[in-house]
């Protein structure tokens, strides 16, 4: 600390109201200490960061699979509360953690995670007009969400202090995945800092290649993997986050991959713990943890317990009426609490009621196996399906599960409409474009609210990505269109993302997409009781199939799984506990598998397989073979003909190879117009002003003008009886020096017309070229 103060003795920033600037010379630390104490608003920022640590640069290596993972700290970004650099191969990610010491006015943990891909890390320059990184890409947002879900459950309850995690790519080798490194970097940065956090955690990516589980596979290995799963684990082999996309992986293989991932994550946790012991940073003492006082909670329990129990036991309630009834009890109870505890803060009053309400809800599930809508723990809500909602759409479906309603539509477009990845995403993931996408929309009326309709938010992006993962494995690899599925949530009361997977599968079959199998998804919840005498270990628990929104809010887990009758295609586990045993995860997968098959049986009653053909008003794709000799005429000068074709008919033309063009038409009528247009510009026609001739195969046809067809003057080539494909003799006179066009003539090879009043006594009298004596012309 003395070194830090000496280094900054030439300047200090004082935020007091009386004085704005203070200059401190070489006064002793005792004088400085007394002066600092006089102003409560003064703070020497770096004192809490890594500058205050006694040690310097420290690093630890961990063997993960067949590769070494290196975690280091103490060299970069030392003003941050915590900083770690994680390296695998030549890929390096720096993660910083900073948390304020003053509480936030928010009544929740204000945690912000930003993962940014830097172009320089991949040796590229951004291609936008600014030539710099602009807004966050979809991949950056999805990675930020994965990191957030991995670290959020381990913050202390009631820690409402602004906290920011920034992940910067320092170097990307195009071989190793930087996203998993960012999770481990966030874990290390928080563990090495003085921020209160009950970590560390470890994360690995797990692949399945030829039936073998591979930990942290390279980008090349991932291209042949049937599984892409990120496992974040806590000490004692507990799980805090799962995110997976799979190609119909069997349940037993999936469970085995999770166990392998958790095992290797423990090695990373041990490495971070070793680094933390060497650094020895103590956790700060926060001003306050925002929890409800036990005295107020007990009073709230006496006032509202019976009323809340009655509401949660009334199975006739739906989402809106239940919420209204609870809110009415809340307002009454809070007024009574304010009278009894006038000095209590508003948050303590509100949170006390929340604690009572949540406890009653959970006890009904744990003790009486009762859910607030009357179902048992493994029952599904009522499900109804409908397809072909609107005839003009390429495909549509309405999926209703309880009070969750989703309208899904399918749209086909040309392959040119596929999503193109930015340069950095391509360098990191190897994915250049995709011709299947699912877009998820959650308007405010879905939950009886009002709100501003803006661009897509992080939640919508994450839910859409999960449903897209669920459906992607069943999409045919060779399909002539780009497919866009839109999922609009019309009503929401639990698991709208899994409803989107079900509705999307129905809409795809309605559109005639030859998917390999139908897909269904379901959400499984969890309610636990912890044993306070055993470090918070789970003493009892209940798994809930097909959870409601209130069961998600009051529960400990939102476990979403989707797949076919055969296997699993997508999984996402949001866990609110600081760790969950493998046993519960395995049971959740089994319970979700049973529910998934039951949902598929219901869906099959509406439509069991894809339609044999696409709808009549749907788009068409045709290939046009254009010989090299006609390509210039088809394309036109500067692409004029192709541009005119697209503008007039609405089709999209793309070149496949030298002689093949692909034509996409949004409707059959547009395709017919395009056919007529192409036939017109490509035909070997007999034109009004002449005929098109070729001197040799594959030659671009050239015009033989009427004036050079015959000794007589003709107005149209049809007067001579010429037909397409007929062979004639012409003479070649070279190219015109002004425009480079071929000069050809047929008439110079003919005998003079019978009407010509002149005899040729010598061949030398014939004029060779374009000019012909007037006596050799036909009378007008």
């Amino acid at each position: 600390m003395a070194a830090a103060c000496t280094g900054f003795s030439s300047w200090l920033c004082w935020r007091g109201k009386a004085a704005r600037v203070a200059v401190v010379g070489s006064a002793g630390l005792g004088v400085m200490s007394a002066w600092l104490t006089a102003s409560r608003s003064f703070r020497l920022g770096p004192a809490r960061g890594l500058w205050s640590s006694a040690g310097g640069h420290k690093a630890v290596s961990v063997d993960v699979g067949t590769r070494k993972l290196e975690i280091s700290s103490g060299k970069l970004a030392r003003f941050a509360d915590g900083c770690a650099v994680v390296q695998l191969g030549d890929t390096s990610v720096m993660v910083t953690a900073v948390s304020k010491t003053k509480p936030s006015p928010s009544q929740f943990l204000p945690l912000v995670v930003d993962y940014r891909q830097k172009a320089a890390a991949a040796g590229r320059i951004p291609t936008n007009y600014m030539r710099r990184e602009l807004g966050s890409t979809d991949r950056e947002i999805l990675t930020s969400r994965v990191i957030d879900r991995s670290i959020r459950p381990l913050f202390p309850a009631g820690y409402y202090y602004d906290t920011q995690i920034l992940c910067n790519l320092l170097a990307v080798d195009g071989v190793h995945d930087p996203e998993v490194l960012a999770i481990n970097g966030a874990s290390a940065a928080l563990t090495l800092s003085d921020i209160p956090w009950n970590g560390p955690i470890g994360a690995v990516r797990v692949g399945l290649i030829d039936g073998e589980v591979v930990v942290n596979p390279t980008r090349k290995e991932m291209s042949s993997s049937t599984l892409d799963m990120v496992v974040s684990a806590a000490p004692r082999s507990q799980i805090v986050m799962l995110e997976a996309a799979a190609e119909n992986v069997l349940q037993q293989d999936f469970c085995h991959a999770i166990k392998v991932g958790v095992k290797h994550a423990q090695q990373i946790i041990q490495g971070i713990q070793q680094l933390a012991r060497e650094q020895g940073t103590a956790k700060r003492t926060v001003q306050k943890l925002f929890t409800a006082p036990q005295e107020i909670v007990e009073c709230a329990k006496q006032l509202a317990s019976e009323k809340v129990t009655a509401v949660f036991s009334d199975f006739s309630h739906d989402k809106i009426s239940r919420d209204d009834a609870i809110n009415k009890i809340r307002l009454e109870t809070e007024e009574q609490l304010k009278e009894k505890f006038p000095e209590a803060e508003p948050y303590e009053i509100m949170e006390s009621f929340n604690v009572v309400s949540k406890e009653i809800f959970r006890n009904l599930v744990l003790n009486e196996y009762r859910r607030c809508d009357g179902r048992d723990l493994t029952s599904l809500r009522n499900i109804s399906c409908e397809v072909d909602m609107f005839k003009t759409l390429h495909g549509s479906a309405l999926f209703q599960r309880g009070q969750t309603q989703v309208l899904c539509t399918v749209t086909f477009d040309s392959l040119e409409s596929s999503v193109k990845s930015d340069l950095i995403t391509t360098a990191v993931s190897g994915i250049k474009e995709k011709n299947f996408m699912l877009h998820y929309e959650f308007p405010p009326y879905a939950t009886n609210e009002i709100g501003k309709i803006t661009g897509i938010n992080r939640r919508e992006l994450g839910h859409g990505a999960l449903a897209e993962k669920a459906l992607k494995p069943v999409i045919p690899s060779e399909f002539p269109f780009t497919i866009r599925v839109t999922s609009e949530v019309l009503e929401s009361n639990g698991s709208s993302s899994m409803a989107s997977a079900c509705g999307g599968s129905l809409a795809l079959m309605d559109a005639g997409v030859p998917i390999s199998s139908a897909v269904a998804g379901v959400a499984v919840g969890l309610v636990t009781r912890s044993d306070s005498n055993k470090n918070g270990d789970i003493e009892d628990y209940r798994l809930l199939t097909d959870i409601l929104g209130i069961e998600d809010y009051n529960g400990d887990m939102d476990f979403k799984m989707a797949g076919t009758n055969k296997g699993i295609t997508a999984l996402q586990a949001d866990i609110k506990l600081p760790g969950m045993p493998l046993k519960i995860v395995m049971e959740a997968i089994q319970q979700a598998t049973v529910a998934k098959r039951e949902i598929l049986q219901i869906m099959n009653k509406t439509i069991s397989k894809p339609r044999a053909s696409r709808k009549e008003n749907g788009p068409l794709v045709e290939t046009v073979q254009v010989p090299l000799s006609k390509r210039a005429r088809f394309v036109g000068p500067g692409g004029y003909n192709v541009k005119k074709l697209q503008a007039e008919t609405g089709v999209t033309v793309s070149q496949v190879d030298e002689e093949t063009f692909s034509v996409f038409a949004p409707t059959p009528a547009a395709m017919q117009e395009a056919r007529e247009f192409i036939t017109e510009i490509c035909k070997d026609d007999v034109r009004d002003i002449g005929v098109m001739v070729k001197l040799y195969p594959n030659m671009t046809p050239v015009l033989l003008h009427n004036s050079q067809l015959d000794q007589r003057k003709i107005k149209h080539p049809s007067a001579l009886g010429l037909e397409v494909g007929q062979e004639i003799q012409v003479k070649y006179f070279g190219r015109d020096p002004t425009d480079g066009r071929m000069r050809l003539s047929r008439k110079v090879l003919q005998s003079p017309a019978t009407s010509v009043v002149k005899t040729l006594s010598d061949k030398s009298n014939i004029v060779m070229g374009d000019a012909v004596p007037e006596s050799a012309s036909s009378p007008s």
Side-chain angles (χ1 to χ4, degrees):
M1 181 66 185
C5 291
T6 304
F8 287 91
S9 61
S10 59
W11 63 271
L12 288 172
C13 178
W14 188 21
R15 296 179 182 175
K17 295 182 179 179
R20 292 297 179 189
V21 180
V23 180
V24 179
S26 56
L29 285 176
V31 177
M32 181 183 291
S33 231
W35 183 71
L36 293 180
T37 307
S39 174
R40 298 180 62 187
S41 60
F42 177 86
R43 173 176 171 265
L44 184 60
R48 289 193 302 111
L50 296 178
W51 274 109
S52 62
S53 60
H57 178 259
K58 293 180 174 61
V60 64
S61 292
V62 180
D63 290 324
V64 182
T66 59
R67 302 174 180 86
K68 278 191 176 296
L69 182 78
E70 182 179 307
I71 305 172
S72 60
S73 181
K75 183 177 181 180
L76 305 178
R78 289 173 288 182
F79 282 174
D81 290 333
C83 176
V85 177
V86 184
Q87 182 171 348
L88 182 63
D90 289 327
T91 296
S92 295
V93 180
M94 182 186 75
V95 185
T96 57
V98 176
S99 185
K100 288 186 176 180
T101 56
K102 182 180 179 181
S104 167
S106 304
Q107 302 302 320
F108 57 88
L109 170 61
L111 172 65
V112 176
V113 179
D114 279 315
Y115 171 90
R116 298 305 303 269
Q117 297 177 155
K118 298 299 180 70
R124 302 302 300 265
I125 296 176
T127 55
N128 56 66
Y129 69 98
M130 294 286 288
R131 294 297 186 269
R132 63 184 302 166
E133 290 83 1
L134 299 178
S136 298
T137 63
D138 289 357
R139 190 176 183 88
E140 289 172 329
I141 293 173
L142 293 174
T143 303
S144 299
R145 282 174 56 87
V146 169
I147 300 170
D148 184 298
R149 288 163 40 214
S150 298
I151 63 176
R152 186 179 288 270
L154 285 89
F155 280 93
Y159 184 78
Y160 297 161
Y161 296 79
D162 287 300
T163 305
Q164 186 176 40
I165 308 296
L166 291 181
C167 310
N168 288 330
L169 268 63
L170 301 181
V172 176
D173 58 10
V175 177
H176 300 95
D177 173 37
E179 297 173 4
V180 170
L181 303 188
I183 302 175
N184 291 310
S187 171
L190 286 167
T191 303
L192 297 172
S193 73
D194 65 340
I195 301 172
W197 191 66
N198 302 318
I201 63 168
V204 295
R205 186 178 295 276
V206 181
L208 190 64
I209 304 172
D210 298 328
E212 296 293 327
V213 176
V214 180
V215 177
N216 284 347
T218 62
R219 195 179 81 177
K220 184 178 180 181
E221 289 173 335
M222 279 303 302
S223 63
S224 58
S225 175
T226 57
L227 175 66
D228 181 5
M229 178 166 60
V230 176
V231 180
S232 296
R236 298 189 298 162
S237 297
Q238 295 196 325
I239 294 175
V240 292
M241 197 281 303
L242 289 172
E243 181 81 24
E247 296 180 8
N248 252 341
V249 173
L250 299 178
Q251 180 182 337
Q252 57 267 29
D253 294 336
F254 202 94
C255 293
H256 175 61
I258 294 176
K259 293 176 182 177
V260 173
V262 171
K263 177 183 175 182
H264 284 83
Q266 299 306 304
Q267 300 171 1
I268 299 175
I269 293 172
Q270 292 170 9
I272 297 175
Q273 288 173 336
Q274 177 185 337
L275 205 59
R277 285 193 297 269
E278 293 178 3
Q279 181 163 307
T281 302
K283 295 299 181 181
R284 73 178 71 158
T285 301
V286 296
Q287 290 183 14
K288 180 180 180 181
L289 289 178
F290 291 82
T291 56
Q294 190 61 34
E295 182 185 4
I296 304 179
V297 172
E298 290 298 328
C299 184
K301 190 178 296 185
Q302 294 175 4
L303 294 172
S305 182
E306 291 184 4
K307 298 177 184 178
V308 172
T309 303
V311 172
F312 288 149
S313 301
D314 186 353
F315 305 147
S316 64
H317 280 302
D318 62 9
K319 173 185 171 61
I320 302 299
S321 64
R322 185 184 300 111
D323 290 348
D324 289 344
I326 293 296
N327 285 332
K328 183 179 179 181
I329 300 171
R330 175 194 297 276
L331 293 175
E332 294 174 356
T333 306
E334 287 179 356
E335 287 299 323
Q336 292 173 321
L337 291 175
K338 288 177 184 176
E339 293 176 2
K340 193 165 185 178
F341 302 95
E343 296 181 358
E345 296 182 9
Y347 170 78
E348 294 176 338
I349 299 294
M350 294 191 320
E351 185 61 18
S352 296
F353 180 84
N354 290 339
V355 170
V356 172
S357 175
K358 187 173 183 179
E359 182 181 347
I360 293 172
F361 185 93
R362 294 165 66 90
N363 285 336
L364 286 172
V365 175
L366 286 166
N367 301 332
E368 303 181 24
Y369 294 80
R370 285 163 54 190
R371 300 170 72 173
C372 61
D373 60 354
R375 287 181 294 152
D376 59 40
L377 302 186
T378 59
S379 293
L380 295 169
R381 289 172 287 175
N382 293 329
I383 295 175
S384 63
C385 310
E386 190 176 346
V387 297
D388 199 14
M389 299 289 296
F390 304 98
K391 300 299 181 183
T392 57
L393 300 180
H394 300 162
S396 58
L398 183 70
F399 182 83
Q400 179 98 36
R401 178 160 51 194
Q403 287 187 296
T404 295
Q405 185 185 72
V406 173
L407 174 65
C408 290
T409 61
V410 172
T411 306
F412 299 131
D413 212 318
S414 67
L415 293 176
E416 296 296 313
S417 301
S418 60
V419 178
K420 309 296 191 297
S421 298
D422 59 279
L423 290 175
I424 314 308
T425 299
T426 302
V428 172
S429 66
I431 300 174
K432 294 183 179 179
E433 61 182 22
K434 61 178 183 178
N435 65 343
F436 170 71
M437 66 201 85
L438 187 146
H439 294 156
Y440 170 97
E441 300 174 7
F442 194 95
Y445 61 76
T447 52
N448 192 31
E449 296 175 358
I450 60 173
K452 187 176 181 181
I453 303 297
T454 57
I456 185 171
N457 58 41
R458 290 192 171 201
R459 179 185 175 276
E460 289 180 338
L461 184 62
H463 281 53
L466 177 61
E468 182 180 306
K469 288 177 183 177
L471 294 172
K472 186 177 180 180
V474 301
I475 302 294
S477 57
E478 297 294 332
F479 195 68
F481 303 107
T482 294
I483 306 172
R484 181 187 184 223
V485 178
T486 58
S487 173
E488 184 166 1
V489 182
L490 307 181
E491 300 173 1
S492 178
N493 187 17
S495 190
S496 55
S497 60
M498 291 295 92
S500 298
C502 298
S505 175
L506 293 168
L508 287 167
M509 289 193 285
D510 178 55
V513 178
I515 61 176
S516 58
S517 180
V519 173
V522 69
V524 175
L526 175 70
V527 176
T528 63
R529 178 183 289 120
S530 300
D531 188 349
S532 57
N533 298 324
K534 296 183 179 180
N535 297 323
D537 289 350
I538 296 175
E539 182 182 44
D540 196 10
Y541 64 92
R542 303 285 183 269
L543 288 169
L544 311 177
T545 297
D546 188 16
I547 57 175
L548 301 171
I550 193 171
E551 292 173 332
D552 181 11
Y553 177 76
N554 288 323
D556 298 318
M557 178 181 72
D558 184 8
F559 188 95
K560 307 183 188 79
M561 195 184 84
T564 66
N565 259 323
K566 177 185 175 183
I568 299 170
T569 58
L571 185 145
Q572 184 182 91
D574 291 334
I575 300 168
K576 302 177 186 178
L577 302 172
M580 190 170 66
L582 273 169
K583 175 177 178 285
I584 299 180
V585 174
M586 300 303 141
E587 289 184 21
I589 292 176
Q590 175 59 31
Q591 196 160 317
T593 300
V594 174
K596 175 193 65 176
R597 289 173 178 162
E598 188 176 341
I599 297 168
L600 285 171
Q601 290 176 359
I602 299 172
M603 292 168 56
N604 288 339
K605 294 177 182 178
T606 302
I607 182 169
S608 58
K609 61 181 181 180
R611 299 191 188 278
S613 60
R614 296 185 292 274
K615 294 186 179 181
E616 294 180 358
N617 62 338
L620 300 173
V621 171
E622 292 185 3
T623 55
V624 178
Q625 296 293 329
V626 181
L628 290 176
S629 59
K630 297 182 180 180
R631 189 172 63 184
R633 194 192 321 169
F634 174 75
V635 175
Y640 173 79
N641 288 341
V642 171
K643 293 176 182 176
K644 183 179 179 183
L645 170 64
Q646 295 182 145
E648 291 185 358
T649 64
V651 303
T652 301
V653 181
S654 56
Q655 187 168 355
V656 179
D657 54 40
E658 286 188 343
E659 296 188 348
T660 307
F661 290 81
S662 175
V663 180
F664 167 85
T667 62
M671 181 60 79
Q672 182 59 34
E673 288 184 43
R675 290 194 197 104
E676 295 173 357
F677 187 98
I678 294 171
T679 302
E680 181 65 25
I681 62 176
C682 288
K683 68 180 182 180
D684 289 324
D685 58 338
V686 179
R687 304 191 177 187
D688 291 345
I689 60 172
V691 296
M692 304 300 293
V693 297
K694 293 190 293 186
L695 301 184
Y696 52 86
N698 293 330
M699 168 188 166
T700 301
V702 295
L703 177 68
L704 179 58
H705 197 269
N706 286 341
S707 62
Q708 300 299 323
L709 276 176
D710 199 83
Q711 295 284 355
R712 295 166 295 177
K713 184 176 181 180
I714 60 173
K715 292 184 177 180
H716 195 277
S718 59
L720 300 177
L722 298 177
E723 297 178 356
V724 174
Q726 179 180 340
E727 292 188 0
I728 60 175
Q729 289 187 338
V730 296
K731 186 161 186 176
Y732 174 59
F733 292 98
R735 294 187 177 271
D736 192 314
T738 57
D739 56 18
R741 291 184 296 181
M742 285 186 176
R743 296 190 299 175
L744 302 175
S745 178
R746 175 175 177 265
K747 73 178 182 181
V748 298
L749 300 179
Q750 295 178 325
S751 300
T754 55
S755 60
V756 175
V757 190
K758 184 172 181 180
T759 58
L760 300 178
S761 58
D762 192 84
K763 291 183 179 180
S764 62
N765 291 335
I766 299 177
V767 179
M768 306 299 291
D770 287 337
V772 178
E774 291 183 5
S775 58
S777 302
S778 301
S780 56

